[in-house]
Amino acid sequence: MKRSVRYIAGVFLLLGALAFSLLINSCPNPMLDAVKKEVEAYQQGKTEETETATYTVDGVTFKMSYVPGGHIFPTGTDDSGEATVTDAYWIGETEVTYELWYAVYTWAVSNGYSFANAGREGNDGTIGASPTAAKQEPVTFINWRDAMVWSNALTEWYNAQNGTNYTTVYNDSGTPIRDSRDSNAAQCDNVTPDEAATGFRLLTSDEWELAARWRDDSTNTVGGYSDHWFTKGDSASGATADYNDATATGAVAWYNDNSGSSTHEVKGKAANSLGLYDMSGNVWE
């Protein structure tokens, strides 16, 4: 699908959003009891409704939505490709906010982490703003190495605050990578994500596209997929028409024509069928 504004699956950047919307490694995994129950309920066919899990640490809350695995779905702007994400997973309902980034970043730099970039709130936010302020625009001005290392920090921060034992995804010889500076580029660039890990990580391209395309009704969907509906590739995530329809696109995304060349607080537009916001527009990529 087109992504004229915002959501990347692997963290390439221009303004560098933490554009991976948090994702816990493939289900089933050891999770909080509430999350386990939701997964079990879905796997038993008890619901087709959006499943969510809420995480709160040090007064900062973020939610994650469940994405079913095992579906063949179309890929590409022209819907000419196909892919399958075998395992189900949990994805953050929004881009990573500056509030969440800053809370984890502050803990991380006091616990052995180093970052190439400190991050900002949106496109014009200041660095190091008070975490008690309402910082609900996406974090920007970071690179993918920062995002990868920050994911490890989020995992360790969450464990430290909640007594959980999630395991980091990005490791070197069993040790979490905790430095995203250019001097540590080789360690970051050569890492292989640990598929058995249970902590937070970045999305793959296919995982992003499945979550973006998922649809609960047949409007503006690709034909030929009998097990589910998927939004067309020439449309924003959750849109009822293609990109040429300003009303349909503007309902779900901030982009050139309606953003005022600025980022906005998350959840400013309608969510898609999985309850995910800004999948096709907020931070410019």
Side-chain angles (χ1 to χ4, degrees), residues 74-96:
T75 61
T77 304
D78 60 357
D79 303 313
S80 61
E82 287 187 346
T84 303
V85 175
T86 302
D87 296 321
Y89 54 97
W90 293 82
I91 178 176
E93 67 172 357
T94 72
E95 295 167 302
V96 172

Side-chain angles (χ1 to χ4, degrees), residues 21 75 107 218 233 271:
S21 217
T75 61
W107 176 89
S218 59

Side-chain angles (χ1 to χ4, degrees), residues 21-71:
S21 217
L22 300 172
L23 181 143
I24 281 188
N25 232 356
S26 303
C27 302
N29 273 321
M31 289 183 175
L32 302 176
D33 289 344
V35 180
K36 287 181 179 178
K37 291 177 181 178
E38 290 175 357
V39 175
E40 291 167 357
Y42 191 94
Q43 290 174 336
Q44 292 170 13
K46 294 180 179 178
T47 179
E48 273 287 345
E49 298 176 356
T50 300
E51 299 282 356
T52 61
T54 300
Y55 298 79
T56 300
V57 190
D58 288 345
V60 178
T61 296
F62 60 94
K63 292 184 178 180
M64 303 187 78
S65 294
Y66 179 78
V67 185
H71 292 272

